[in-house]
Amino acid sequence: MAFKNISKLVAILIFTVGILVSCKEQSPNSNMDQAISNEGHPNLILTKKGVSHIRQKLGQVPLFDKSLEAAKQEVDLEIGLEIEVPIPKDFSGGYTHERHKRNFLMLQKAGVLYQILNEEKYAKYVKDMLMEYEAMYKTLPVHPQTRSYARGKLFWQCLNDSNWLVYVSQAYDCIYDYLSQEERDKLENNLFRPFADFISIENPQFYNRVHNHSTWGNAAVGMIGLVMGDEDLIHRALYGIENDGLDPDAKDNDGGFIKDKEGRAGFLANLEEPFSPDGYYTEGPYYQRYAMYPFLIFAEALDNVKPELKIFEHKDGVLLKSVHALLQLSDADGEFFPLNDGQKGMSYYSRELVTAVDIAYYYGGKNPELLSIAEKQDQVLLDDTGFAVALGVNDGAIEPFVKKSINLSDGPNGNQGGVGVLRTDTVELVFKYAAQGSSHGHYDKLSFSLYDDGEEVIQDYGLARFVNIEQKGGGNYLKENTTWAKQSIAHNTIIQNETSHFEAKYEVGSKFHSDLYFFNIENPNVQIVSAKEQNAYPGTDMHRTMAIIKDEDFERPYVMDIMRVNSETKNQYDLPYYFIGQVVKTNFSYNAPKLLKPLGDKNGYQHLYLEGEGKPSGSNTMLSWLNNERFYTLTSATDNKDELLFTRIGANDPEFNLRREAALIMRRKNADNTIFASIIETHGGYSPVSELALNSNSNVSEIKVIYNNAAYTALSMTTVNDKTKLFILANEEASAQTKHNLEINGKNYEWTGPYHLIKTD
Amino acid sequence: MAFKNISKLVAILIFTVGILVSCKEQSPNSNMDQAISNEGHPNLILTKKGVSHIRQKLGQVPLFDKSLEAAKQEVDLEIGLEIEVPIPKDFSGGYTHERHKRNFLMLQKAGVLYQILNEEKYAKYVKDMLMEYEAMYKTLPVHPQTRSYARGKLFWQCLNDSNWLVYVSQAYDCIYDYLSQEERDKLENNLFRPFADFISIENPQFYNRVHNHSTWGNAAVGMIGLVMGDEDLIHRALYGIENDGLDPDAKDNDGGFIKDKEGRAGFLANLEEPFSPDGYYTEGPYYQRYAMYPFLIFAEALDNVKPELKIFEHKDGVLLKSVHALLQLSDADGEFFPLNDGQKGMSYYSRELVTAVDIAYYYGGKNPELLSIAEKQDQVLLDDTGFAVALGVNDGAIEPFVKKSINLSDGPNGNQGGVGVLRTDTVELVFKYAAQGSSHGHYDKLSFSLYDDGEEVIQDYGLARFVNIEQKGGGNYLKENTTWAKQSIAHNTIIQNETSHFEAKYEVGSKFHSDLYFFNIENPNVQIVSAKEQNAYPGTDMHRTMAIIKDEDFERPYVMDIMRVNSETKNQYDLPYYFIGQVVKTNFSYNAPKLLKPLGDKNGYQHLYLEGEGKPSGSNTMLSWLNNERFYTLTSATDNKDELLFTRIGANDPEFNLRREAALIMRRKNADNTIFASIIETHGGYSPVSELALNSNSNVSEIKVIYNNAAYTALSMTTVNDKTKLFILANEEASAQTKHNLEINGKNYEWTGPYHLIKTD
């Protein structure tokens, strides 16, 4: 406590001295008195009133002071160096790319520091660098790298140019009053307006879409428009360009369609389209995180300058809901589930989520649970929202952010499938039955991934890309993203005849989505979700039901997985489980080939080596593995004609772009109506320090599908101590009110609702 | 602070109530007054005086109270269950094994709790269980599992039976006075004396060795002897069995010789032989950790009962030195370097190291640096030593335990090579030039491993075993430990003609050791070690020099690696680098085969798949990889006829016993006198949260061997900014005083000592 007070005192002293010095050095252009009035600039993200409030409390709100000090240290270091505005040349990860990226981040921070600390050196730094950009931009050609469908000028793609303008608009707003009219005219006429026009009118294929790229473009144009008071730009930002002349069949680099099916464009359309009413963003959490920044920062700016738009109330408050949805789509460590294209490790510690949490707190009724996330983030935005969060943390009004089981609908109207997350104790199951997810979508209907204490147990591969690591394909998507990561076989779902869902055709996949059958988390011991897919393979219906079940006869929660397939034709079905860890035990024998060959030659199969090939030893197939000091066991009801394939990712991957990770694939041939049923246990533990292995064996002695027709499916499970459980699923009637009556093996069962789980021993 | 005081108060209350209750429940056998005198029992580990002191301070020393409370909770839970003493049946990991193991741990703790808390229930629990063992042991045959060279009775090997007796002796000492003479006679005649005889006289092949197994046996026999006051057993413990009749060629399950070359046996011989004067234990840190417990606990007992032996002063205080050596052989996270057979993850958090640290603190002059380890361990022994540590932590007399570069000699007289650890900033390099390391030794002369911040950068594989996980080969050594882990190709060292050092023959390898050339850490910027090996391949001399160098032209420390080979014949040389992480970039092209085949058919090569095969593109070969958010680059001076092989562990491993990890192997054919020279950089960083890749490229533009003959070797290195460094090594004169004078490319260099590192730009 004593130490904390000393820190506070030091902070107060530092800031007092800082303010005294800055008053002394005050430039004629800056006017401290004027800055306290509520008109003029800044008014975009910082406001005059907010700045005045923040200045009064400096040194009294540790989390804010800490973030301010961090920004100050970073910017002071940069100010000590020479300003560098190099001629653009490189891809992401390369020097000119990273330099321009660092520049816009520094400009934004320097602008804020100028306002809060009122030291002229920050304004001068922003002005000097902007003038260098102005000098260069006037004659700057399009970027020399030709890979993008929408090349930028400072960067290889308009997307990054838009990032630049979103940040630089804020810097410009902060020093607006510091500049003379002449200086402003120069910057606006030679840099900002041409820049805004370039990324919009000159690149409608980038700007006029419903896509995260366009959201950045819209926000960039809108924010500079708000600073300049340019209604044309603001209108263009909100509603897009009319008559863009775009080819309706054109696609971007990721294979996504450029033109929206209904011709919508602009920020409001982007807000409408990709978010479901629950706040789920169709591309998945990784891109939602990326898109959140322009969505929220532009919304904050709009709320400051054009409060009459009531942007945060748009679509029933979807922006604020989306922050909540995004936080729920992270594992126990705050890392986002890598649905669709997602780089693993991205988390709510990212700067975008600092923005999201602070803005959601400020505009969303000051939910104290958000403060616990902010406390973990250990930084806040340097604006009114961040200040409010820091104050909240300081006042100790924090409540834990509770992650629960949650079902998030997909699609603008919430009727295009969704994502269900089941949580019990430390176990989290992510079940995807969503729409295609735009050009970043993967072909994995009814797939799942499983986590325990934030560690992957059954993984979703995520994307094949090393974002911003230039040595790996310029930091961009690798070809393995298409040939492997997007393919169905890269996921824990059914693959028919070694062909991906929708034949991995974006045009087809984006027409369809899976459908929720039911999601029920009423019983805390049975968290369950069930969904159907009828279009991935025409003529074949898939129906998967997954649950996390807590049961006194089990040490820890277990997962139940029932995948029913009904087809008009006989097919081969593969169902992979990408388990993470070391094989501990199997109950079947298999041959390990002397030479490793790829499992197939296309659709992702060319990237899998076959490491082992076996047959079930009985009616159940069991695999136990060890990961992160815990044991896991998959037990599946299998047919003695099934093939069991141990595979490893890495074939046809000469540049080591893929991780060498394993799967067990269950393969069933010549099947039309069939069912895969499994139990996944989390159990026991092993410590390499105590060297004790606890409860390392499965608790399941047998599982059996004892009933399966169009109307009902029943799964029986017996534990090693001869406790038997029966799970019955109504396949065609999801209503919670419907009464059911079914005779199985001469015994009658009656229940209400779509499922029935009982002990029968 | 307030909270801390409340906890203290609560603890005091709990213990006060405990003592009151226990006084009330006091049995006629126990006598509290008597327990305060300094004669009689306990006197083995706990002492009457110590117990009295501890009782007085209960509730006042949080770290001790916490450890006591943890033991109490654990034992109370067990006491609530039925005592189980099953008929022995299983291997380690199996039920009866784990039950008997748990029993001896509980007995020892219950004994201690009885003494400290003076509650009869603990004494009764010990007595009851011991009587069950007595009832069973009388007629117990040898263990049914036949795998061991020395089968136990309670366990499959005498080793575990000895573990039992080491712990149970302590329990017996604690309740000695609680038992009647008749009860003691019963236990001693039917259980303890036959037990001690069985593991010694009836199993001399186990007991009469210089080996960690025997250390356990000796301690077991000695400790029960000390409790029973049986001088025969004590003598047998200290000096072994005379005329053991052992076959001098017999071997144990690990392939180690049973009979000591010089016929020594007993605890004192075991103290003499495996420890070097520096305290290095020849089997390596993993087994040193395992052996430390019987060494130190028996030493503590001897010091209590027979202080005249001055056991802690034996061999110049080697026992205490060995604790220091062991702590220095751990990485930044406290995990032991897996030299020879070592299971990764074992660390100074193990219970053996709690014992080691507490005893070393108490008997070794109360070094305050040990308190910082004890604080991390967060538990202490429940005896005088642990109490002293807890008091020290409480008094705040803690100093950080500083890990430094250290050279540890191997061999009883310190002249059989050794292990050098170099440390600079977060980088740690472990260089092995030791003796064979007994039956747990690997064939890897002059090998190394590299760590950064406690994470492996270039790994040593460690053992091939899942200790105590019964599904994996009964928790015992897997056959891959012999076919892979011990082989030279599994390590980062030179392999000649695809044959392991000493042809992997234990009889040959144990005759030899490498020799230190020099170890110099005087210059904090150049931590360097150099050693020679002349016997691994008859007719071939190897000389490796490794250094961690801090240089202002580099962002972070880099490693220099110079391996000189001189042979009488032309051979093929392989030098692998088992890098951990994802390949980021190479400067050479290679073919990735469509099918993966094993690289060879024996000597470990049968376990490597060939994933890529290439040639150097110029005079330098470069590989960059990414691991744990950092970049690493290996740059090697290569010949254009060299072959570059990307390999992956996992061939001929049908049970998935091996980890699928990678290496780059440099292969040079038809070479007699040759040199491999490399620089390994640690540089930059990547965060999946910020997605920034910093300094991801190597700083080395070229390395070149510019001079190499019998007397001198010179390596030149140029950075990307054209800074050139020259390193000259005197190959035949290691003296720090010798002056050298050498002309290279027309330029004269003068220096003193075995190496010279200068800037030449």
Side-chain angles (χ1 to χ4, degrees), chain B residues 414-586:
Chain B
N415 59 1
Q416 298 180 6
V419 170
V421 181
L422 304 180
R423 292 183 160 104
T424 300
D425 298 350
T426 61
V427 182
E428 295 176 302
L429 186 145
V430 185
F431 181 62
K432 184 188 176 203
Y433 63 95
Q436 181 60 33
S438 177
S439 58
H440 289 296
H442 288 194
Y443 299 92
D444 61 333
K445 298 299 176 198
L446 309 189
S447 76
F448 83 106
S449 54
L450 184 66
Y451 294 75
D452 191 9
D453 244 341
E455 298 291 322
E456 294 176 309
V457 175
I458 310 261
Q459 73 159 331
D460 188 88
Y461 190 87
L463 49 63
R465 177 182 180 187
F466 295 80
V467 181
N468 292 336
I469 298 182
E470 73 170 317
Q471 297 92 335
K472 301 295 267 186
N476 302 312
Y477 280 98
L478 299 164
K479 66 179 189 315
E480 289 79 10
N481 199 58
T482 305
T483 61
W484 165 252
K486 286 191 168 191
Q487 300 294 329
S488 304
I489 188 63
H491 302 82
N492 305 297
T493 188
I494 280 280
I495 298 95
Q496 179 175 293
N497 300 329
E498 301 183 36
T499 307
S500 286
H501 300 173
F502 308 108
E503 296 180 64
K505 288 183 178 157
Y506 177 65
E507 297 80 349
V508 184
S510 29
K511 285 186 194 139
F512 301 105
H513 56 83
S514 306
D515 289 294
L516 183 65
Y517 181 56
F518 69 89
F519 177 84
N520 189 318
I521 55 173
E522 271 171 43
N523 180 347
N525 293 326
V526 187
Q527 306 277 294
I528 185 166
V529 61
S530 183
K532 298 183 179 187
E533 168 57 44
Q534 302 184 305
N535 302 295
Y537 299 113
T540 299
D541 290 352
M542 290 145 61
H543 177 192
R544 192 173 209 170
T545 304
M546 303 199 77
I548 309 183
I549 296 168
K550 266 184 93 155
D551 181 319
E552 59 185 11
D553 294 324
F554 282 74
E555 178 207 355
R556 305 192 63 233
Y558 66 86
V559 170
M560 194 187 62
D561 176 15
I562 300 177
M563 174 70 100
R564 296 175 65 243
V565 180
N566 291 291
S567 183
E568 294 163 2
T569 50
K570 296 260 185 194
N571 300 293
Q572 171 186 299
Y573 292 103
D574 287 345
L575 181 58
Y577 289 85
Y578 283 90
F579 65 97
I580 297 276
Q582 191 98 20
V583 172
V584 164
K585 192 179 178 179
T586 65

Side-chain angles (χ1 to χ4, degrees), chain A residues 53-89:
Chain A
H53 184 57
I54 289 169
R55 283 186 188 172
Q56 284 165 27
K57 296 267 188 177
L58 278 186
Q60 297 168 45
V61 188
L63 184 52
F64 190 86
D65 294 339
K66 184 176 178 180
S67 302
L68 186 66
E69 182 57 29
K72 187 170 149 42
Q73 281 190 13
E74 197 180 0
V75 174
D76 285 353
L77 196 74
E78 282 291 329
I79 289 184
L81 308 171
E82 211 174 331
I83 289 175
E84 288 184 75
V85 177
I87 297 294
K89 180 170 79 63

Side-chain angles (χ1 to χ4, degrees), chain A residues 429 448 450 458 492 494 543-549 554 558-564 575-577 619-623 625 633-639 642 644 664-666 668 675-681 698 700 702-705 713-717 727:
Chain A
L429 186 143
F448 83 105
L450 185 65
I458 309 263
N492 305 299
I494 280 279
H543 177 192
R544 193 174 209 170
T545 303
M546 302 198 78
I548 308 183
I549 297 168
F554 282 75
Y558 67 86
V559 170
M560 194 189 60
D561 176 14
I562 300 177
M563 173 70 99
R564 297 175 64 244
L575 181 58
Y577 290 85
S619 61
N620 274 200
T621 289
M622 193 272 293
L623 165 68
W625 66 100
T633 299
L634 170 72
T635 307
S636 304
T638 40
D639 187 286
D642 287 352
L644 303 169
L664 176 66
I665 301 179
M666 296 176 199
R668 191 167 298 160
I675 185 163
F676 293 84
S678 298
I679 297 292
I680 307 166
E681 292 166 87
S698 166
V700 175
E702 189 183 30
I703 68 173
K704 212 184 214 162
V705 178
T713 296
L715 179 68
S716 146
M717 168 175 61
F727 177 88

